[in-house]
Amino acid sequence: MRILISILAGSLFGTGLLISGMTDTTKVLGWLDVFGNWDPTLAFVMGGAIIPMLFAWRLTTNRQPLTGGHFPPKSAPEMNRRLILGSTLFGMGWGLAGLCPGPALASLSYGGIGGVIFLISMIAGMVAAPSVGAQLDRSANPA
């Protein structure tokens, strides 16, 4: 049951990304170009995701998932070097490529070498992140 729900949710998410234009790099770059030819339509896509999620998180209080287990607890807001560096790198990658992880995976469904290159680069970054993060922690806290 859990796998079926995951496949359904992932398919719905990917379809939403395709329909909304989030996999179109020119549309995303137009959204990020606030001082040029700005395209505000993706604000509605983001709002269409954030607003229902706000209510969904409220509804999970004192409930259990349909497939068992438990909902993750709300994380404590923590601003640190890793968050700032990760956010900066994420934004730079989004601005350079016009893709982030979800749309990059969805864009693989219609081909294009750019999406494949982005995906390989993203996976390489995910593999390297723990060791780079540990190195940053060691340099910040010399013993």
Side-chain angles (χ1 to χ4, degrees), residues 27-92:
K27 188 169 197 72
V28 173
L29 292 174
W31 156 254
L32 296 172
D33 188 10
V34 292
F35 297 114
N37 190 18
W38 188 54
D39 181 0
T41 56
L42 291 184
F44 296 104
V45 174
M46 290 181 189
I50 293 170
I51 293 169
M53 200 60 214
L54 174 75
F55 293 108
W57 274 110
R58 299 265 187 227
L59 291 173
T60 62
T61 306
N62 299 323
R63 295 186 181 197
Q64 288 189 341
L66 180 64
T67 58
H70 63 279
F71 290 111
K74 183 178 179 183
S75 59
E78 180 183 352
M79 189 78 99
N80 58 29
R81 287 176 357 123
R82 282 183 167 212
L83 176 66
I84 293 168
L85 180 63
S87 300
T88 301
L89 291 173
F90 179 89
M92 289 169 55

Short mmCIF file of all heavy atoms in Angstrom, two decimals, residues 27-92:
data_model
loop_
_atom_site.label_atom_id
_atom_site.label_comp_id
_atom_site.label_asym_id
_atom_site.label_seq_id
_atom_site.Cartn_x
_atom_site.Cartn_y
_atom_site.Cartn_z
N LYS A 27 11.23 29.44 -18.26
CA LYS A 27 10.18 29.99 -17.39
C LYS A 27 10.73 30.23 -15.98
O LYS A 27 10.48 31.25 -15.36
CB LYS A 27 8.98 29.05 -17.35
CG LYS A 27 7.79 29.62 -16.64
CD LYS A 27 6.59 28.71 -16.89
CE LYS A 27 5.29 29.37 -16.57
NZ LYS A 27 4.86 30.38 -17.49
N VAL A 28 11.51 29.26 -15.49
CA VAL A 28 12.09 29.40 -14.15
C VAL A 28 13.09 30.55 -14.12
O VAL A 28 13.08 31.36 -13.19
CB VAL A 28 12.75 28.07 -13.71
CG1 VAL A 28 13.51 28.25 -12.40
CG2 VAL A 28 11.70 26.99 -13.56
N LEU A 29 13.94 30.64 -15.14
CA LEU A 29 14.91 31.74 -15.18
C LEU A 29 14.20 33.08 -15.33
O LEU A 29 14.66 34.09 -14.80
CB LEU A 29 15.92 31.51 -16.30
CG LEU A 29 16.86 30.33 -16.07
CD1 LEU A 29 17.73 30.09 -17.30
CD2 LEU A 29 17.71 30.53 -14.83
N GLY A 30 13.06 33.10 -16.01
CA GLY A 30 12.25 34.32 -16.10
C GLY A 30 11.70 34.72 -14.74
O GLY A 30 11.59 35.90 -14.42
N TRP A 31 11.36 33.74 -13.91
CA TRP A 31 10.88 34.01 -12.55
C TRP A 31 12.01 34.60 -11.71
O TRP A 31 11.79 35.50 -10.91
CB TRP A 31 10.37 32.71 -11.93
CG TRP A 31 10.38 32.66 -10.44
CD1 TRP A 31 11.23 31.97 -9.65
CD2 TRP A 31 9.50 33.35 -9.55
NE1 TRP A 31 10.93 32.17 -8.33
CE2 TRP A 31 9.87 33.02 -8.23
CE3 TRP A 31 8.42 34.22 -9.73
CZ2 TRP A 31 9.22 33.51 -7.12
CZ3 TRP A 31 7.78 34.71 -8.60
CH2 TRP A 31 8.17 34.36 -7.32
N LEU A 32 13.23 34.13 -11.90
CA LEU A 32 14.36 34.59 -11.12
C LEU A 32 14.91 35.94 -11.59
O LEU A 32 15.64 36.60 -10.86
CB LEU A 32 15.48 33.54 -11.14
CG LEU A 32 15.13 32.19 -10.49
CD1 LEU A 32 16.23 31.18 -10.76
CD2 LEU A 32 14.87 32.34 -9.02
N ASP A 33 14.56 36.35 -12.80
CA ASP A 33 15.09 37.59 -13.39
C ASP A 33 14.20 38.77 -13.02
O ASP A 33 13.50 39.34 -13.85
CB ASP A 33 15.18 37.43 -14.91
CG ASP A 33 15.89 38.59 -15.57
OD1 ASP A 33 16.49 39.42 -14.86
OD2 ASP A 33 15.84 38.67 -16.81
N VAL A 34 14.25 39.18 -11.74
CA VAL A 34 13.35 40.24 -11.27
C VAL A 34 13.70 41.62 -11.84
O VAL A 34 12.84 42.50 -11.85
CB VAL A 34 13.32 40.31 -9.73
CG1 VAL A 34 12.66 39.09 -9.15
CG2 VAL A 34 14.70 40.50 -9.14
N PHE A 35 14.93 41.82 -12.31
CA PHE A 35 15.29 43.12 -12.87
C PHE A 35 15.26 43.13 -14.39
O PHE A 35 15.59 44.13 -15.01
CB PHE A 35 16.68 43.54 -12.36
CG PHE A 35 16.73 43.72 -10.88
CD1 PHE A 35 17.48 42.88 -10.08
CD2 PHE A 35 15.99 44.73 -10.27
CE1 PHE A 35 17.51 43.03 -8.72
CE2 PHE A 35 16.01 44.89 -8.89
CZ PHE A 35 16.77 44.04 -8.11
N GLY A 36 14.86 42.04 -15.00
CA GLY A 36 14.80 41.94 -16.45
C GLY A 36 13.37 41.66 -16.90
O GLY A 36 12.43 42.32 -16.49
N ASN A 37 13.22 40.63 -17.71
CA ASN A 37 11.91 40.23 -18.23
C ASN A 37 11.26 39.25 -17.24
O ASN A 37 11.20 38.06 -17.47
CB ASN A 37 12.09 39.58 -19.61
CG ASN A 37 10.77 39.37 -20.30
OD1 ASN A 37 9.75 39.96 -19.93
ND2 ASN A 37 10.78 38.51 -21.30
N TRP A 38 10.78 39.81 -16.12
CA TRP A 38 10.28 38.99 -15.01
C TRP A 38 8.97 38.32 -15.36
O TRP A 38 8.06 38.92 -15.91
CB TRP A 38 10.12 39.85 -13.77
CG TRP A 38 9.79 39.07 -12.54
CD1 TRP A 38 10.47 38.02 -12.03
CD2 TRP A 38 8.68 39.28 -11.66
NE1 TRP A 38 9.88 37.57 -10.89
CE2 TRP A 38 8.77 38.33 -10.63
CE3 TRP A 38 7.64 40.20 -11.63
CZ2 TRP A 38 7.86 38.25 -9.60
CZ3 TRP A 38 6.73 40.11 -10.59
CH2 TRP A 38 6.84 39.15 -9.60
N ASP A 39 8.86 37.02 -15.03
CA ASP A 39 7.64 36.23 -15.24
C ASP A 39 7.11 35.81 -13.88
O ASP A 39 7.64 34.87 -13.27
CB ASP A 39 7.97 35.01 -16.10
CG ASP A 39 6.77 34.14 -16.38
OD1 ASP A 39 5.65 34.47 -15.92
OD2 ASP A 39 6.94 33.11 -17.05
N PRO A 40 6.06 36.46 -13.36
CA PRO A 40 5.58 36.18 -12.00
C PRO A 40 4.69 34.94 -11.87
O PRO A 40 4.24 34.63 -10.77
CB PRO A 40 4.79 37.43 -11.65
CG PRO A 40 4.26 37.90 -12.95
CD PRO A 40 5.34 37.58 -13.96
N THR A 41 4.44 34.20 -12.95
CA THR A 41 3.46 33.11 -12.89
C THR A 41 3.85 31.99 -11.94
O THR A 41 2.97 31.33 -11.38
CB THR A 41 3.20 32.53 -14.29
OG1 THR A 41 4.44 32.09 -14.85
CG2 THR A 41 2.56 33.55 -15.20
N LEU A 42 5.14 31.77 -11.72
CA LEU A 42 5.54 30.69 -10.82
C LEU A 42 5.23 31.02 -9.36
O LEU A 42 5.21 30.12 -8.52
CB LEU A 42 7.01 30.34 -11.00
CG LEU A 42 7.35 29.66 -12.33
CD1 LEU A 42 8.81 29.26 -12.37
CD2 LEU A 42 6.47 28.45 -12.57
N ALA A 43 4.96 32.27 -9.05
CA ALA A 43 4.54 32.62 -7.68
C ALA A 43 3.22 31.92 -7.36
O ALA A 43 3.00 31.48 -6.23
CB ALA A 43 4.38 34.13 -7.54
N PHE A 44 2.34 31.79 -8.36
CA PHE A 44 1.08 31.09 -8.14
C PHE A 44 1.30 29.60 -7.95
O PHE A 44 0.60 28.95 -7.17
CB PHE A 44 0.12 31.36 -9.31
CG PHE A 44 -0.26 32.80 -9.43
CD1 PHE A 44 0.30 33.60 -10.41
CD2 PHE A 44 -1.17 33.36 -8.54
CE1 PHE A 44 -0.04 34.94 -10.51
CE2 PHE A 44 -1.52 34.70 -8.63
CZ PHE A 44 -0.95 35.50 -9.62
N VAL A 45 2.29 29.05 -8.64
CA VAL A 45 2.62 27.63 -8.47
C VAL A 45 3.13 27.40 -7.04
O VAL A 45 2.72 26.46 -6.36
CB VAL A 45 3.68 27.18 -9.50
CG1 VAL A 45 4.14 25.76 -9.23
CG2 VAL A 45 3.13 27.32 -10.91
N MET A 46 4.03 28.27 -6.60
CA MET A 46 4.57 28.12 -5.24
C MET A 46 3.49 28.32 -4.19
O MET A 46 3.42 27.57 -3.21
CB MET A 46 5.72 29.10 -5.04
CG MET A 46 6.94 28.75 -5.83
SD MET A 46 8.24 29.93 -5.51
CE MET A 46 9.42 29.44 -6.74
N GLY A 47 2.65 29.33 -4.39
CA GLY A 47 1.54 29.54 -3.47
C GLY A 47 0.58 28.37 -3.46
O GLY A 47 0.05 27.99 -2.42
N GLY A 48 0.37 27.79 -4.63
CA GLY A 48 -0.51 26.63 -4.75
C GLY A 48 0.04 25.41 -4.05
O GLY A 48 -0.69 24.45 -3.77
N ALA A 49 1.33 25.41 -3.76
CA ALA A 49 1.94 24.30 -3.02
C ALA A 49 2.06 24.63 -1.53
O ALA A 49 1.80 23.78 -0.68
CB ALA A 49 3.32 24.00 -3.59
N ILE A 50 2.43 25.85 -1.22
CA ILE A 50 2.69 26.23 0.17
C ILE A 50 1.40 26.33 0.98
O ILE A 50 1.34 25.84 2.12
CB ILE A 50 3.48 27.56 0.22
CG1 ILE A 50 4.88 27.34 -0.34
CG2 ILE A 50 3.54 28.10 1.65
CD1 ILE A 50 5.67 28.62 -0.56
N ILE A 51 0.37 26.93 0.42
CA ILE A 51 -0.87 27.14 1.18
C ILE A 51 -1.53 25.81 1.58
O ILE A 51 -1.85 25.63 2.77
CB ILE A 51 -1.82 28.07 0.41
CG1 ILE A 51 -1.21 29.47 0.35
CG2 ILE A 51 -3.21 28.11 1.06
CD1 ILE A 51 -1.91 30.42 -0.60
N PRO A 52 -1.74 24.86 0.66
CA PRO A 52 -2.32 23.58 1.12
C PRO A 52 -1.43 22.84 2.12
O PRO A 52 -1.93 22.18 3.03
CB PRO A 52 -2.47 22.76 -0.16
CG PRO A 52 -2.42 23.74 -1.27
CD PRO A 52 -1.59 24.89 -0.78
N MET A 53 -0.11 22.98 1.97
CA MET A 53 0.80 22.29 2.90
C MET A 53 0.69 22.87 4.30
O MET A 53 0.82 22.15 5.29
CB MET A 53 2.23 22.39 2.38
CG MET A 53 3.16 21.38 2.94
SD MET A 53 2.58 19.72 2.54
CE MET A 53 3.11 18.88 3.99
N LEU A 54 0.43 24.16 4.40
CA LEU A 54 0.22 24.79 5.70
C LEU A 54 -0.93 24.11 6.44
O LEU A 54 -0.82 23.75 7.61
CB LEU A 54 -0.07 26.29 5.52
CG LEU A 54 -0.44 27.05 6.77
CD1 LEU A 54 0.79 27.28 7.63
CD2 LEU A 54 -1.09 28.36 6.41
N PHE A 55 -2.03 23.90 5.73
CA PHE A 55 -3.19 23.23 6.33
C PHE A 55 -2.90 21.75 6.59
O PHE A 55 -3.32 21.20 7.61
CB PHE A 55 -4.43 23.38 5.44
CG PHE A 55 -4.92 24.79 5.37
CD1 PHE A 55 -4.76 25.54 4.21
CD2 PHE A 55 -5.54 25.39 6.45
CE1 PHE A 55 -5.20 26.84 4.14
CE2 PHE A 55 -5.98 26.70 6.40
CZ PHE A 55 -5.82 27.44 5.24
N ALA A 56 -2.16 21.10 5.70
CA ALA A 56 -1.85 19.68 5.88
C ALA A 56 -1.03 19.46 7.15
O ALA A 56 -1.29 18.53 7.91
CB ALA A 56 -1.10 19.15 4.66
N TRP A 57 -0.03 20.33 7.40
CA TRP A 57 0.77 20.19 8.62
C TRP A 57 -0.09 20.39 9.86
O TRP A 57 0.09 19.73 10.87
CB TRP A 57 1.93 21.17 8.64
CG TRP A 57 3.14 20.64 7.93
CD1 TRP A 57 3.64 21.07 6.74
CD2 TRP A 57 3.97 19.56 8.33
NE1 TRP A 57 4.73 20.32 6.39
CE2 TRP A 57 4.96 19.38 7.35
CE3 TRP A 57 3.98 18.70 9.43
CZ2 TRP A 57 5.94 18.42 7.43
CZ3 TRP A 57 4.96 17.73 9.50
CH2 TRP A 57 5.93 17.60 8.52
N ARG A 58 -1.05 21.32 9.79
CA ARG A 58 -1.95 21.54 10.93
C ARG A 58 -2.82 20.31 11.19
O ARG A 58 -3.12 19.99 12.33
CB ARG A 58 -2.85 22.75 10.68
CG ARG A 58 -2.09 24.04 10.50
CD ARG A 58 -2.01 24.79 11.80
NE ARG A 58 -1.41 26.09 11.54
CZ ARG A 58 -0.45 26.57 12.27
NH1 ARG A 58 0.00 25.91 13.30
NH2 ARG A 58 0.07 27.74 12.01
N LEU A 59 -3.23 19.62 10.12
CA LEU A 59 -4.09 18.46 10.26
C LEU A 59 -3.36 17.22 10.78
O LEU A 59 -4.01 16.27 11.22
CB LEU A 59 -4.76 18.13 8.93
CG LEU A 59 -5.81 19.13 8.45
CD1 LEU A 59 -6.26 18.78 7.03
CD2 LEU A 59 -6.99 19.18 9.39
N THR A 60 -2.03 17.20 10.74
CA THR A 60 -1.29 16.02 11.19
C THR A 60 -1.16 15.95 12.71
O THR A 60 -0.78 14.91 13.23
CB THR A 60 0.12 15.98 10.58
OG1 THR A 60 0.86 17.12 11.01
CG2 THR A 60 0.06 15.89 9.08
N THR A 61 -1.48 17.02 13.40
CA THR A 61 -1.36 17.03 14.86
C THR A 61 -2.22 15.92 15.46
O THR A 61 -3.41 15.80 15.17
CB THR A 61 -1.80 18.41 15.42
OG1 THR A 61 -1.04 19.42 14.77
CG2 THR A 61 -1.55 18.48 16.92
N ASN A 62 -1.61 15.08 16.29
CA ASN A 62 -2.27 13.97 16.99
C ASN A 62 -2.88 12.94 16.03
O ASN A 62 -3.88 12.31 16.35
CB ASN A 62 -3.34 14.49 17.95
CG ASN A 62 -2.75 15.38 19.02
OD1 ASN A 62 -1.65 15.13 19.50
ND2 ASN A 62 -3.46 16.43 19.38
N ARG A 63 -2.31 12.80 14.84
CA ARG A 63 -2.79 11.78 13.89
C ARG A 63 -1.62 10.93 13.44
O ARG A 63 -0.47 11.29 13.61
CB ARG A 63 -3.43 12.44 12.67
CG ARG A 63 -4.69 13.19 13.01
CD ARG A 63 -5.34 13.69 11.78
NE ARG A 63 -6.54 14.42 12.17
CZ ARG A 63 -7.50 14.71 11.35
NH1 ARG A 63 -7.43 14.37 10.09
NH2 ARG A 63 -8.56 15.38 11.76
N GLN A 64 -1.94 9.79 12.82
CA GLN A 64 -0.91 8.90 12.28
C GLN A 64 -1.12 8.77 10.77
O GLN A 64 -2.25 8.83 10.29
CB GLN A 64 -1.00 7.53 12.93
CG GLN A 64 -0.52 7.54 14.37
CD GLN A 64 -0.41 6.13 14.91
OE1 GLN A 64 -0.99 5.21 14.37
NE2 GLN A 64 0.36 5.98 15.97
N PRO A 65 -0.03 8.55 10.02
CA PRO A 65 -0.16 8.34 8.58
C PRO A 65 -1.00 7.10 8.27
O PRO A 65 -1.06 6.15 9.06
CB PRO A 65 1.27 8.15 8.11
CG PRO A 65 2.13 8.73 9.18
CD PRO A 65 1.36 8.56 10.45
N LEU A 66 -1.63 7.12 7.13
CA LEU A 66 -2.47 6.01 6.67
C LEU A 66 -1.70 4.70 6.60
O LEU A 66 -2.23 3.64 6.90
CB LEU A 66 -3.06 6.36 5.29
CG LEU A 66 -3.97 5.35 4.63
CD1 LEU A 66 -5.23 5.16 5.46
CD2 LEU A 66 -4.33 5.81 3.22
N THR A 67 -0.42 4.79 6.24
CA THR A 67 0.37 3.57 6.05
C THR A 67 1.17 3.19 7.30
O THR A 67 2.03 2.33 7.23
CB THR A 67 1.34 3.76 4.87
OG1 THR A 67 2.17 4.89 5.13
CG2 THR A 67 0.59 3.93 3.58
N GLY A 68 0.92 3.82 8.43
CA GLY A 68 1.61 3.49 9.67
C GLY A 68 2.77 4.41 9.95
O GLY A 68 3.07 5.32 9.18
N GLY A 69 3.41 4.19 11.07
CA GLY A 69 4.52 5.05 11.46
C GLY A 69 4.02 6.32 12.11
O GLY A 69 2.97 6.33 12.74
N HIS A 70 4.76 7.39 11.94
CA HIS A 70 4.36 8.68 12.51
C HIS A 70 4.86 9.81 11.61
O HIS A 70 5.78 9.63 10.83
CB HIS A 70 4.93 8.83 13.92
CG HIS A 70 6.43 8.84 13.96
ND1 HIS A 70 7.18 7.68 13.92
CD2 HIS A 70 7.31 9.85 14.00
CE1 HIS A 70 8.46 8.00 13.94
NE2 HIS A 70 8.57 9.30 13.99
N PHE A 71 4.21 10.94 11.74
CA PHE A 71 4.64 12.12 11.00
C PHE A 71 5.89 12.67 11.67
O PHE A 71 6.02 12.60 12.89
CB PHE A 71 3.54 13.19 10.98
CG PHE A 71 2.35 12.82 10.14
CD1 PHE A 71 1.12 12.53 10.73
CD2 PHE A 71 2.45 12.76 8.76
CE1 PHE A 71 0.03 12.20 9.96
CE2 PHE A 71 1.36 12.42 7.99
CZ PHE A 71 0.15 12.14 8.59
N PRO A 72 6.80 13.22 10.90
CA PRO A 72 8.02 13.78 11.52
C PRO A 72 7.67 15.00 12.36
O PRO A 72 6.74 15.74 12.04
CB PRO A 72 8.89 14.16 10.32
CG PRO A 72 7.95 14.29 9.17
CD PRO A 72 6.80 13.36 9.45
N PRO A 73 8.41 15.21 13.43
CA PRO A 73 8.14 16.40 14.26
C PRO A 73 8.59 17.66 13.53
O PRO A 73 9.43 17.60 12.63
CB PRO A 73 8.99 16.16 15.51
CG PRO A 73 10.09 15.27 15.05
CD PRO A 73 9.50 14.40 13.96
N LYS A 74 8.02 18.76 13.93
CA LYS A 74 8.41 20.04 13.35
C LYS A 74 9.85 20.33 13.76
O LYS A 74 10.21 20.20 14.93
CB LYS A 74 7.48 21.15 13.87
CG LYS A 74 7.76 22.49 13.28
CD LYS A 74 6.78 23.54 13.79
CE LYS A 74 7.10 24.89 13.20
NZ LYS A 74 6.23 25.92 13.73
N SER A 75 10.67 20.68 12.79
CA SER A 75 12.08 20.93 13.10
C SER A 75 12.24 22.30 13.74
O SER A 75 11.48 23.23 13.47
CB SER A 75 12.93 20.83 11.83
OG SER A 75 12.48 21.76 10.88
N ALA A 76 13.24 22.39 14.58
CA ALA A 76 13.53 23.66 15.24
C ALA A 76 14.19 24.59 14.23
O ALA A 76 15.08 24.18 13.49
CB ALA A 76 14.46 23.43 16.43
N PRO A 77 13.76 25.84 14.18
CA PRO A 77 14.41 26.78 13.25
C PRO A 77 15.84 27.06 13.72
O PRO A 77 16.05 27.48 14.84
CB PRO A 77 13.54 28.03 13.33
CG PRO A 77 12.81 27.92 14.63
CD PRO A 77 12.70 26.47 14.95
N GLU A 78 16.78 26.72 12.86
CA GLU A 78 18.18 26.88 13.21
C GLU A 78 18.93 27.49 12.03
O GLU A 78 18.93 26.95 10.93
CB GLU A 78 18.77 25.52 13.56
CG GLU A 78 20.22 25.57 13.95
CD GLU A 78 20.79 24.18 14.22
OE1 GLU A 78 20.02 23.21 14.25
OE2 GLU A 78 22.02 24.09 14.37
N MET A 79 19.54 28.62 12.26
CA MET A 79 20.31 29.28 11.22
C MET A 79 21.79 29.05 11.53
O MET A 79 22.27 29.46 12.58
CB MET A 79 20.01 30.78 11.23
CG MET A 79 20.59 31.52 10.07
SD MET A 79 19.63 31.26 8.60
CE MET A 79 18.67 32.74 8.60
N ASN A 80 22.48 28.34 10.64
CA ASN A 80 23.90 28.10 10.86
C ASN A 80 24.65 28.18 9.53
O ASN A 80 24.06 28.41 8.48
CB ASN A 80 24.12 26.75 11.55
CG ASN A 80 23.54 25.59 10.76
OD1 ASN A 80 23.44 25.63 9.54
ND2 ASN A 80 23.14 24.54 11.47
N ARG A 81 25.95 27.98 9.60
CA ARG A 81 26.79 28.09 8.39
C ARG A 81 26.37 27.10 7.32
O ARG A 81 26.35 27.43 6.14
CB ARG A 81 28.26 27.85 8.74
CG ARG A 81 28.90 28.97 9.48
CD ARG A 81 30.34 28.71 9.92
NE ARG A 81 30.89 27.42 9.63
CZ ARG A 81 32.00 27.22 8.92
NH1 ARG A 81 32.66 28.23 8.44
NH2 ARG A 81 32.45 26.00 8.71
N ARG A 82 26.06 25.88 7.72
CA ARG A 82 25.69 24.85 6.74
C ARG A 82 24.41 25.24 6.00
O ARG A 82 24.30 25.04 4.79
CB ARG A 82 25.49 23.52 7.42
CG ARG A 82 26.78 22.83 7.76
CD ARG A 82 26.47 21.48 8.36
NE ARG A 82 27.67 20.69 8.40
CZ ARG A 82 27.69 19.38 8.28
NH1 ARG A 82 26.57 18.71 8.14
NH2 ARG A 82 28.82 18.73 8.32
N LEU A 83 23.42 25.77 6.73
CA LEU A 83 22.17 26.17 6.09
C LEU A 83 22.41 27.32 5.11
O LEU A 83 21.91 27.29 3.98
CB LEU A 83 21.14 26.59 7.15
CG LEU A 83 19.83 27.12 6.61
CD1 LEU A 83 19.05 26.02 5.88
CD2 LEU A 83 18.98 27.71 7.72
N ILE A 84 23.18 28.30 5.52
CA ILE A 84 23.45 29.45 4.67
C ILE A 84 24.24 29.03 3.42
O ILE A 84 23.89 29.41 2.30
CB ILE A 84 24.18 30.56 5.45
CG1 ILE A 84 23.22 31.13 6.51
CG2 ILE A 84 24.68 31.66 4.52
CD1 ILE A 84 23.89 32.01 7.53
N LEU A 85 25.27 28.21 3.62
CA LEU A 85 26.07 27.74 2.48
C LEU A 85 25.23 26.87 1.55
O LEU A 85 25.25 27.04 0.33
CB LEU A 85 27.30 26.97 2.96
CG LEU A 85 28.21 26.43 1.87
CD1 LEU A 85 28.80 27.57 1.05
CD2 LEU A 85 29.31 25.59 2.48
N GLY A 86 24.46 25.94 2.11
CA GLY A 86 23.62 25.07 1.29
C GLY A 86 22.57 25.85 0.52
O GLY A 86 22.33 25.59 -0.67
N SER A 87 21.95 26.82 1.17
CA SER A 87 20.94 27.65 0.50
C SER A 87 21.56 28.47 -0.62
O SER A 87 20.97 28.62 -1.69
CB SER A 87 20.27 28.59 1.51
OG SER A 87 19.65 27.86 2.52
N THR A 88 22.74 28.98 -0.37
CA THR A 88 23.44 29.77 -1.39
C THR A 88 23.78 28.90 -2.60
O THR A 88 23.54 29.29 -3.75
CB THR A 88 24.71 30.40 -0.80
OG1 THR A 88 24.34 31.22 0.31
CG2 THR A 88 25.45 31.22 -1.83
N LEU A 89 24.33 27.71 -2.35
CA LEU A 89 24.67 26.81 -3.45
C LEU A 89 23.43 26.35 -4.21
O LEU A 89 23.43 26.26 -5.44
CB LEU A 89 25.46 25.61 -2.94
CG LEU A 89 26.87 25.91 -2.44
CD1 LEU A 89 27.48 24.68 -1.80
CD2 LEU A 89 27.73 26.44 -3.57
N PHE A 90 22.35 26.06 -3.48
CA PHE A 90 21.10 25.67 -4.12
C PHE A 90 20.60 26.79 -5.04
O PHE A 90 20.25 26.56 -6.19
CB PHE A 90 20.04 25.35 -3.06
CG PHE A 90 18.71 24.96 -3.64
CD1 PHE A 90 18.43 23.64 -3.92
CD2 PHE A 90 17.73 25.92 -3.91
CE1 PHE A 90 17.20 23.27 -4.46
CE2 PHE A 90 16.50 25.56 -4.44
CZ PHE A 90 16.24 24.24 -4.71
N GLY A 91 20.58 28.02 -4.51
CA GLY A 91 20.13 29.17 -5.31
C GLY A 91 21.00 29.42 -6.52
O GLY A 91 20.50 29.75 -7.60
N MET A 92 22.31 29.25 -6.35
CA MET A 92 23.20 29.44 -7.49
C MET A 92 22.94 28.39 -8.57
O MET A 92 22.89 28.71 -9.75
CB MET A 92 24.67 29.39 -7.03
CG MET A 92 25.09 30.59 -6.22
SD MET A 92 26.68 30.41 -5.39
CE MET A 92 27.77 30.01 -6.72
#
